[in-house]
């Protein structure tokens, strides 16, 4: 695999994880947002593995083909990751009896968002670690490319 292709794969992961962190931050920011039309709905990012063999292949199928292939050792099937969509979580929010709240319904209940801040922070930690890992890959590729260039200039 060439340096440019490896950089593209890592860049696709950086872009996807950055969007995931933005969506998580938005969820946490709106964790107490209510309104007359209903509470904020948690959002989540859906990823899909990119593959040079077929678009839309699942990670499992790409991984299985990679393990069972008979091609050259440097040949890679995967081409990174892409964001398929950002979707609303259909889960129900919590209903709390607060008759004095401006967004209370006729029975005095307020619907709060279906955002679990603890779970969001765990997702944020996971996204941050994945982002950091891909930064490390990018830096390692850059270092290897510079070393290869310095070998040729001696």
């Amino acid at each position: 695999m060439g340096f440019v292709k490896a950089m593209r794969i890592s860049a696709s992961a950086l872009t996807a994880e950055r969007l995931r962190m933005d969506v998580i931050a938005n969820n946490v920011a709106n964790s107490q947002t209510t309104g007359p039309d209903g509470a904020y709905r948690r959002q989540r990012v859906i990823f899909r593995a990119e593959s040079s063999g077929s678009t839309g292949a699942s990670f499992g199928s790409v991984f299985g083909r990679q393990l069972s292939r008979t091609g050259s050792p440097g040949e890679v099937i995967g081409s990174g990751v892409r964001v398929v969509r950002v979707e609303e979580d259909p889960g129900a929010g919590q209903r709390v009896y607060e008759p004095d709240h401006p967004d209370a319904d006729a029975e005095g209940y307020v619907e709060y968002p279906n955002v679990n801040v603890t779970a969001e922070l765990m997702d944020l930690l996971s996204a941050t670690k994945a982002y950091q890992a891909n930064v490390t890959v990018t830096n390692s590729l850059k270092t290897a490319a510079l070393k290869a260039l310095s070998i040729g200039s001696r």
Side-chain angles (χ1 to χ4, degrees):
M1 172 181 4
F3 288 112
V4 174
K5 184 170 183 177
M7 287 291 265
R8 274 194 213 123
I9 291 170
S10 189
S12 73
L14 289 169
T15 302
E17 292 299 342
R18 178 64 199 173
L19 176 63
R20 184 174 162 212
M21 287 188 278
D22 289 344
V23 168
I24 292 168
N26 192 46
N27 288 341
V28 171
N30 285 292
S31 65
Q32 296 296 311
T33 303
T34 62
D37 299 330
Y40 172 82
R41 308 302 292 169
R42 177 183 179 266
Q43 296 181 345
R44 59 185 178 178
V45 180
I46 307 299
F47 294 156
R48 175 156 298 144
E50 286 287 334
S51 64
S52 48
S54 64
T55 57
S58 70
F59 174 79
S61 66
V62 170
F63 188 68
R65 280 187 305 203
Q66 184 69 21
L67 287 177
S68 65
R69 70 176 174 72
T70 57
S72 64
E75 183 183 343
V76 175
I77 294 174
S79 296
V81 65
R82 71 180 174 95
V83 174
V84 177
R85 67 186 173 281
V86 177
E87 67 181 18
E88 275 189 1
D89 184 345
Q94 182 180 11
R95 286 179 41 105
V96 177
Y97 183 71
E98 293 183 25
D100 294 334
H101 194 285
D103 295 325
D105 62 12
E107 298 170 353
Y109 285 92
V110 178
E111 181 184 0
Y112 281 93
N114 59 347
V115 176
N116 179 338
V117 176
T118 304
E120 294 296 325
L121 294 178
M122 293 305 295
D123 285 347
L124 182 60
L125 182 62
S126 170
T128 302
K129 293 295 183 182
Y131 191 89
Q132 288 172 343
N134 279 287
V135 166
T136 301
V137 168
T138 302
N139 287 336
S140 296
L141 288 167
K142 183 173 71 174
T143 301
L146 289 173
K147 294 250 187 217
L149 288 173
S150 71
I151 290 170
S153 65
R154 290 184 185 180

